[in-house]
């Protein structure tokens, strides 16, 4: 064990300096009492930096190729847009990583908005509201229920996010009724699932839902 001559204490672990007086410790180091934890954040950051560098490189290569073959139109802008969207969704996930249900609901919103924008700027074909919106919001509903079970997320906050997600189903009903949606099957499924989910929440957790809503919105 290491030893501080000044304070007369023995120090476990591989410290170089005394925790009390900061003097240099003498003697043989011995393994500390605590297991060493891997630095997840640092590993995280390394992978993110690699990803950032490769996406910048991909963008530059595409811009250069596009400049060389100008006759094919400005396709590199799509690559740039795609990379920007990827970083936005990734950034959101990393920024809010502590609160899983909240992150997922925000992700769904962001993905939906980005898809509608892509659809709009690539000559509206309706794939964003026909397929992406219903499938993504149905998916997140299922995942939310499972996260609640797996990670023991407080049921209160989960209820709010489930409600938000179910409301997205209602929005799709509006889109369906106004004739914006041309392929009705996925949206119909989503509206059905959302309606059943809302009903289930009100029937089984009605009190909790009203408590949670009044707490959050001061109704
Ligand atoms: Zn000391």
């Amino acid at each position: 064990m290491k030893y501080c001559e000044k304070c007369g204490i023995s120090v476990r672990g591989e410290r170089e300096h005394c925790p009390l007086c900061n003097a240099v410790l003498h003697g043989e180091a011995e393994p500390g009492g605590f297991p060493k934890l891997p630095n997840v954040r640092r590993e995280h950051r390394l992978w993110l930096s690699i990803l950032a560098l490769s996406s910048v490189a991909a963008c530059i290569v595409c811009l250069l190729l596009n400049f060389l073959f100008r006759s094919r139109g400005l396709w590199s802008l799509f690559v740039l847009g795609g990379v920007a969207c990827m970083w936005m969704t990734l950034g959101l996930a990393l920024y809010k990583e502590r609160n899983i249900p909240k992150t997922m609901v925000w992700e769904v919103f962001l993905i939906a908005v980005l898809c509608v924008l892509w659809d709009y700027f690539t000559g509206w074909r309706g794939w964003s509201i026909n397929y992406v919106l219903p499938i993504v919001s149905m998916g997140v509903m299922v995942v939310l229920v499972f996260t609640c079970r797996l990670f023991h997320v407080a049921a209160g906050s989960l209820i709010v996010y489930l409600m938000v997600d179910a409301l997205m189903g209602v929005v799709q009903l509006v889109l369906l009724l106004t004739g914006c949606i041309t392929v009705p099957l996925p949206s119909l499924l989503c509206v059905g699932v959302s309606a059943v989910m809302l009903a289930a929440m009100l029937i089984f957790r009605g009190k909790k839902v009203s408590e949670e809503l009044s707490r959050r919105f001061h109704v």
Side-chain angles (χ1 to χ4, degrees), residues 4-9 18-23 25:
C4 175
E5 285 174 348
K6 242 172 152 181
C7 313
I9 56 160
C18 171
L20 298 179
C21 68
N22 213 29
L25 295 172

Side-chain angles (χ1 to χ4, degrees), residues 22-109:
N22 213 29
V24 179
L25 295 172
H26 298 280
E28 283 286 302
E30 74 160 40
F34 301 105
K36 264 199 177 147
L37 290 175
N39 193 335
V40 179
R41 273 202 177 267
R42 191 173 293 169
E43 246 169 61
H44 229 133
R45 199 166 297 160
L46 177 68
W47 282 109
L48 277 180
S49 312
I50 293 172
L51 190 62
L53 182 63
S54 33
S55 51
V56 168
C59 287
I60 292 172
V61 169
C62 285
L63 281 172
L64 292 176
L65 281 175
N66 202 179
F67 185 74
L68 270 178
F69 305 102
R70 268 162 291 185
S71 56
R72 296 270 178 95
L74 284 169
W75 53 267
S76 60
L77 289 182
F78 288 105
V79 180
L80 263 66
V83 169
C85 290
M86 182 197 79
W87 277 104
M88 270 192 258
T89 41
L90 195 64
L92 179 68
L94 292 172
Y95 174 68
K96 289 188 185 275
E97 66 188 324
R98 273 158 209 285
N99 190 335
I100 299 168
K102 195 178 192 173
T103 307
M104 282 200 292
V105 172
W106 276 108
E107 281 286 340
V108 167
F109 265 118

Side-chain angles (χ1 to χ4, degrees), residues 130 134 138 169 172-173 176-177 181 183-195:
N130 279 337
M138 251 190 302
Q172 286 176 69
L173 184 65
L176 261 173
L177 292 176
I181 285 167
V183 185
L185 192 63
S187 314
L188 274 175
L189 252 174
C190 183
V191 168
V193 172
S194 313

Side-chain angles (χ1 to χ4, degrees), residues 84-162:
C85 290
M86 182 197 79
W87 277 104
M88 270 192 258
T89 41
L90 195 64
L92 179 68
L94 292 172
Y95 174 68
K96 289 188 185 275
E97 66 188 324
R98 273 158 209 285
N99 190 335
I100 299 168
K102 195 178 192 173
T103 307
M104 282 200 292
V105 172
W106 276 108
E107 281 286 340
V108 167
F109 265 118
L110 183 65
I111 289 172
V113 169
L114 289 176
C115 284
V116 169
L117 285 175
W118 270 94
D119 201 357
Y120 181 77
F121 285 111
T122 51
W124 188 256
R125 287 190 198 88
W127 54 266
S128 57
I129 56 169
N130 279 337
Y131 300 104
V132 177
L133 209 60
I135 291 170
V136 166
S137 46
M138 251 190 302
V140 87
M141 249 186 273
V142 175
V143 176
L144 276 175
V145 173
F146 276 105
T147 359
C148 179
R149 289 261 168 271
L150 282 179
F151 297 102
H152 304 286
V153 176
S157 58
L158 190 89
I159 283 174
V160 172
Y161 304 125
L162 272 173

